[in-house]
Amino acid sequence: MVKKYVVKRSGKFWPSEEMKRIAWVSDDKIYKEAEKNLIKFWEKLAKEGITWEQEWNETYYEKLPYFEWFKGGKLNFCVNAVDRHLDKGSKTALIWIPEPLNEKPIKITYAELYEKVNRFANVLKGLGVKKHDVVSIYLPLIPEALIAMLACTRIGAIHSVVFSAFSAEALKTRILDGNAKILITADGYYRRGKKEYLIKKAKKAVKGTDIKKIIVVNRLGKKVFGRKYLDFKKELGKAETYYKPEIMNSEDIMFILYTSGTTGRPKGVIHDIGGYAVQAYWTSKWNFNLHDDDVMWCTADIGWITGHTYAFYGPLLNGATTLIYEGAPDFPDPSRWWKIIKENNVSVFYTAPTAIRMFMRFGDKYVSKHKLDSLKILGTVGEPIDKGAWMWYFNKIGKGRCPVIDTWWQTETGGTLINALPGVGPFVPTISGRSFPGTKHIIVDDKGKLSQEGKTGNLVQVSPFAPGMLHGIYKNHKKYAETYWKRFKTKYDTSDGAYLNKGLIRITGRTDDVMKVAGHRLTTAELENALNNHRLVNESAIVPTPHKIKGQVPVAFVVLKGRKKGSERLIKKLKKHIDKVIGPTARPEKIYFVQDLPKTRSGKIMRRILKSIINNEKPEGLTTLVNPEIVKDIKGLISEEGK
Ligand code: PRX
């Protein structure tokens, strides 16, 4: 009989008896237990969840803006994700679904993963990679990405993964920031039936960097020549099968992941080993109720934190099976995901609201024909989810049987922080829920005073800060201190707005100039910088505007040099330019050529006014403008287009 994991009571969804029966956490005593002593709580979790070579001597140390967990503790991350599951070595660790239908899925057991990771660790060592060196990884969602990342953790190197859809320039900036000597990439991958040649971008990116060797996964059969290039498979085959794991300090850097901040340059968010491992382990276990027989599918790419923590590390730390896939959700048709769930008995499915909204648009027919009865838990992440999308996800994918866990978190937090636990609930559309046991978030006004229930304020985290939190911005103390600690001093500033609804947290979205475009994080500044660097552009302003599927999209207002008039051709060129500088995810939805931008007397561009115009609202604060007449022109331009 198909099991039901939720019940409806007084307008809300709650875990069913069956869910409570199978849940690791099945009542809310856990929150109270944690609150008694948050540090002791994490100490207990760290001991139970993670294998340490040496225990720490100080559980939590804080000297803001920095803090450390498990100081003095020693461990190896790879041992925790792989070696300790060798007693069930024949169990599948990873399922990979290639895009071409004539290629078979690949399953890798824990024992096989162990061998490959050990071998690759030796490859890296052979190339001179040492503890604390940064290794750049520019790979699509293929098994080699997992092997490469884990091998880095085995030898104590720091991995820096760059999203494969990012441009050569974006990769180059990140290689330079980490001063990497080794790049791991692929000749390419399949997407929507086409071959995408990643290697072209990689070759361009390494020019002018210190990259000495490029290890290339041969996915498309393209021959890559040159002394710098090594073949992933060949090197793996030649390497020794054992690498003794390096014993690392808990506070050593495990990885850097770049994310958009308020100014143009991406920030290298640093995560350490011990704290991250503890949070990845427990959030995966409790949010997704991972057991031995679970197959988890997190659809995020490894270029993002969600991919790091919930496509790879969290499930593996728990010894579960994780699934990844190559390609696009709607190719060859919009049934692809539902077929993958069915054919692989996926029990935990974790995706973004953008994907859900896209499937809604395709219509129910693609999903209705699939029973999807292996599913137990559905998760969502990355942007606020509207009620319509939540209910569709719940009814059409979960068939009204599975809880929807709306997880709020950030690249900076390493793991989830606010959501309902599947065995505790309640599951309320648009509301994320409570702080994960052992963590504490409050909502404050701009002065840092506690906001009242129902009033939107700033979401902040209070001490002791969660173990998975960032440990700085790579080589940029100033940015770290300013971005997260300047406004509220002793509280971590999330830059998200939120309010309390009957004690549960509802996220309203970013309060800074960060946009979430199809779940991807972008800033107005990085897009403007990219546009302004085009030889024909004098200046530009980017504003986000709501979009039915992607949540938000950027719209650009561009002043050309010499105030020249633009053309359709130039719009295409500028879009291509953005693809080249950042990547297609950042491509503006629309570009308007204007004679001037609304500015204050001090020359500040008033994006707020542009936003009102584009959203058909009455712009306010026109009196502060030095050029109010331009507002009328821009309005005219937009309404002209709407005709
Ligand atoms: O604005 C919040 C939004 O995504 C931001 C973090 O983006 P990123 O670092 O790319 O990490 C995304 C994956 C963890 C947050 O500041 N966000 C994330 N999850 C949610 C969300 N907004 C609303 N609801 C969520 N569940």
Side-chain angles (χ1 to χ4, degrees):
M1 210 184 58
V2 183
K3 295 198 170 111
K4 213 168 150 63
Y5 299 101
V6 281
V7 287
K8 197 168 180 183
R9 224 174 39 230
S10 39
K12 284 185 189 149
F13 297 102
W14 298 89
S16 67
E17 283 310 313
E18 175 60 18
M19 179 50 97
K20 282 189 174 288
R21 189 182 68 75
I22 61 166
W24 288 111
V25 180
S26 58
D27 68 47
D28 62 3
K29 280 193 203 128
I30 196 88
Y31 295 97
K32 290 189 194 102
E33 187 198 322
E35 262 169 42
K36 274 190 228 150
N37 187 330
L38 300 180
I39 295 173
K40 280 229 158 68
F41 180 75
W42 281 113
E43 186 171 53
K44 186 167 160 255
L45 293 191
K47 280 184 192 163
E48 273 177 32
I50 294 299
T51 305
W52 300 83
E53 293 299 324
Q54 184 185 301
E55 228 171 71
W56 51 91
N57 38 41
E58 196 170 0
T59 311
Y60 181 71
Y61 162 87
E62 180 179 302
K63 190 162 185 270
L64 291 180
Y66 294 97
F67 51 92
E68 279 170 13
W69 279 91
F70 317 119
K71 212 169 155 57
K74 293 192 186 291
L75 77 166
N76 180 279
F77 187 87
C78 183
V79 167
N80 278 276
V82 185
D83 301 28
R84 65 175 179 161
H85 308 308
L86 287 177
D87 56 342
K88 46 178 182 185
S90 59
K91 185 181 166 170
T92 304
L94 179 80
I95 305 174
W96 177 63
I97 318 287
E99 185 182 271
L101 294 174
N102 60 354
E103 279 188 45
K104 282 210 175 78
I106 287 183
K107 290 188 178 178
I108 300 180
T109 65
Y110 273 97
E112 288 162 347
L113 184 63
Y114 175 77
E115 188 191 320
K116 287 178 198 291
V117 169
N118 270 282
R119 282 180 184 266
F120 200 68
N122 278 314
V123 172
L124 291 177
K125 186 186 165 200
L127 294 175
V129 181
K130 294 187 303 298
K131 260 187 178 180
H132 315 303
D133 285 352
V134 177
V135 173
S136 280
I137 299 181
Y138 187 52
L139 283 171
L141 258 183
I142 52 176
E144 288 82 357
L146 176 63
I147 296 163
M149 286 163 74
L150 280 170
C152 288
T153 69
R154 194 164 189 89
I155 69 173
I158 299 166
H159 61 64
S160 164
V161 179
V162 180
F163 183 35
S164 57
F166 274 171
S167 64
E169 280 184 44
L171 173 61
K172 181 173 180 168
T173 321
R174 288 154 177 80
I175 291 174
L176 288 173
D177 194 57
N179 193 24
K181 311 277 188 308
I182 304 289
L183 173 68
I184 306 162
T185 187
D187 57 353
Y189 54 93
Y190 289 94
R191 191 168 164 87
R192 297 186 201 285
K194 276 196 351 221
K195 291 180 174 180
E196 297 283 345
Y197 289 103
L198 202 56
I199 190 73
K200 280 194 208 156
K201 288 193 284 177
K203 275 186 177 168
K204 231 166 134 189
V206 296
K207 282 189 193 138
T209 71
D210 284 345
I211 292 287
K212 301 267 172 315
K213 289 283 176 211
I214 304 166
I215 309 175
V216 186
V217 178
N218 190 327
R219 170 75 188 110
L220 299 179
K222 188 176 165 63
K223 287 218 159 52
V224 183
F225 300 103
R227 266 191 304 140
K228 261 194 179 165
Y229 300 94
L230 297 168
D231 180 83
F232 191 101
K233 202 170 163 193
K234 272 194 202 141
E235 294 303 312
L236 207 64
K238 286 192 285 187
E240 293 283 329
T241 55
Y242 180 69
Y243 185 103
K244 190 167 181 293
E246 298 291 338
I247 304 306
M248 305 297 292
N249 294 321
S250 175
E251 325 87 85
D252 283 338
I253 303 176
M254 174 167 154
F255 65 87
I256 308 173
L257 190 57
Y258 289 84
T259 189
S260 297
T262 30
T263 53
R265 268 174 71 86
K267 301 174 296 193
V269 169
I270 299 171
H271 284 290
D272 74 344
I273 305 171
Y276 174 81
V278 171
Q279 200 172 328
Y281 176 86
W282 286 102
T283 53
S284 300
K285 191 175 186 108
W286 286 354
N287 292 338
F288 304 117
N289 203 36
L290 290 182
H291 285 78
D292 228 29
D293 54 351
D294 277 304
V295 178
M296 171 149 180
W297 182 14
C298 161
T299 63
D301 190 275
I302 40 126
W304 309 109
I305 190 73
T306 315
H308 278 57
T309 310
Y310 299 106
F312 282 174
Y313 291 144
L316 292 190
L317 287 169
N318 278 279
T321 301
T322 186
L323 184 145
I324 57 170
Y325 85 116
E326 180 185 49
D330 54 349
F331 186 88
D333 67 57
S335 310
R336 177 149 193 241
W337 279 16
W338 322 128
K339 278 193 191 137
I340 292 179
I341 290 178
K342 189 173 126 197
E343 284 163 11
N344 297 280
N345 281 317
V346 171
S347 52
V348 179
F349 182 63
Y350 191 32
T351 195
T354 291
I356 300 164
R357 289 191 294 261
M358 185 179 82
F359 285 113
M360 278 171 82
R361 197 193 53 174
F362 291 138
D364 299 351
K365 67 172 192 246
Y366 293 102
V367 60
S368 300
K369 57 183 179 222
H370 298 285
K371 284 207 288 247
L372 305 180
D373 50 8
S374 58
L375 288 174
K376 292 180 187 157
I377 292 176
L378 303 176
T380 152
V381 58
E383 46 184 318
I385 181 163
D386 51 283
K387 189 166 179 192
W390 198 103
M391 289 309 298
W392 191 87
Y393 195 27
F394 178 79
N395 284 320
K396 303 295 172 190
I397 311 301
K399 316 285 180 192
R401 297 184 305 109
C402 310
V404 173
I405 312 289
D406 177 356
T407 61
W408 174 88
W409 59 299
Q410 309 176 303
T411 306
E412 291 86 343
T413 72
T416 63
L417 280 176
I418 301 174
N419 56 267
L421 296 179
V424 180
F427 317 112
V428 191
T430 77
I431 290 180
S432 287
R434 288 201 247 185
S435 292
F436 192 80
T439 70
K440 205 169 168 191
H441 298 85
I442 57 171
I443 296 158
V444 296
D445 65 15
D446 289 346
K447 293 202 176 88
K449 260 185 57 199
L450 211 57
S451 298
Q452 291 192 340
E453 162 106 17
K455 197 160 178 348
T456 304
N458 305 291
L459 180 72
V460 295
Q461 192 185 128
V462 295
S463 169
F465 302 98
M469 294 293 291
L470 79 165
H471 281 244
I473 298 294
Y474 196 63
K475 293 191 200 149
N476 200 340
H477 163 77
K478 197 164 153 240
K479 176 131 271 181
Y480 171 70
E482 271 175 10
T483 312
Y484 307 106
W485 305 98
K486 198 168 154 202
R487 266 208 303 177
F488 301 115
K489 311 290 182 245
T490 56
K491 304 176 189 90
Y492 167 81
D493 184 358
T494 68
S495 293
D496 268 310
Y499 65 82
L500 276 183
N501 179 309
K502 299 198 178 85
L504 303 175
I505 298 172
R506 185 187 199 276
I507 311 291
T508 54
R510 299 287 301 196
T511 53
D512 55 5
D513 65 355
V514 167
M515 289 173 274
K516 296 294 309 217
V517 180
H520 303 318
R521 185 163 154 178
L522 291 166
T523 58
T524 51
E526 66 186 314
L527 257 104
E528 286 167 9
N529 282 352
L531 280 172
N532 296 349
N533 281 338
H534 189 278
R535 65 187 174 85
L536 298 176
V537 174
N538 179 25
E539 59 177 351
S540 64
I542 293 281
V543 288
T545 181
H547 185 275
K548 274 206 180 91
I549 294 170
K550 297 181 183 173
Q552 287 185 314
V553 285
V555 170
F557 293 87
V558 174
V559 181
L560 293 174
K561 284 196 178 138
R563 315 230 155 172
K564 288 215 175 67
K565 287 213 157 110
S567 65
E568 279 302 318
R569 233 180 104 221
L570 189 53
I571 289 180
K572 275 194 194 135
K573 272 195 183 160
L574 290 180
K575 287 189 178 177
K576 264 208 168 140
H577 172 72
I578 293 283
D579 287 2
K580 201 174 128 241
V581 180
I582 307 177
T585 36
R587 196 184 298 160
E589 179 82 359
K590 285 214 158 97
I591 297 179
Y592 294 106
F593 296 107
V594 292
Q595 291 300 302
D596 206 351
L597 296 166
K599 281 185 193 150
T600 61
R601 260 161 244 288
S602 58
K604 199 172 155 227
I605 298 173
M606 294 298 280
R607 295 181 187 81
R608 193 166 42 78
I609 290 177
L610 291 169
K611 204 167 158 186
S612 306
I613 303 175
I614 200 104
N615 293 335
N616 232 339
E617 294 157 4
K618 193 166 177 281
E620 281 174 25
L622 297 187
T623 48
T624 57
L625 295 183
V626 69
N627 54 351
E629 67 288 351
I630 196 67
V631 171
K632 209 171 135 213
D633 292 356
I634 297 177
K635 264 187 181 168
L637 187 75
I638 290 170
S639 66
E640 191 57 34
E641 189 210 42
K643 279 179 192 156

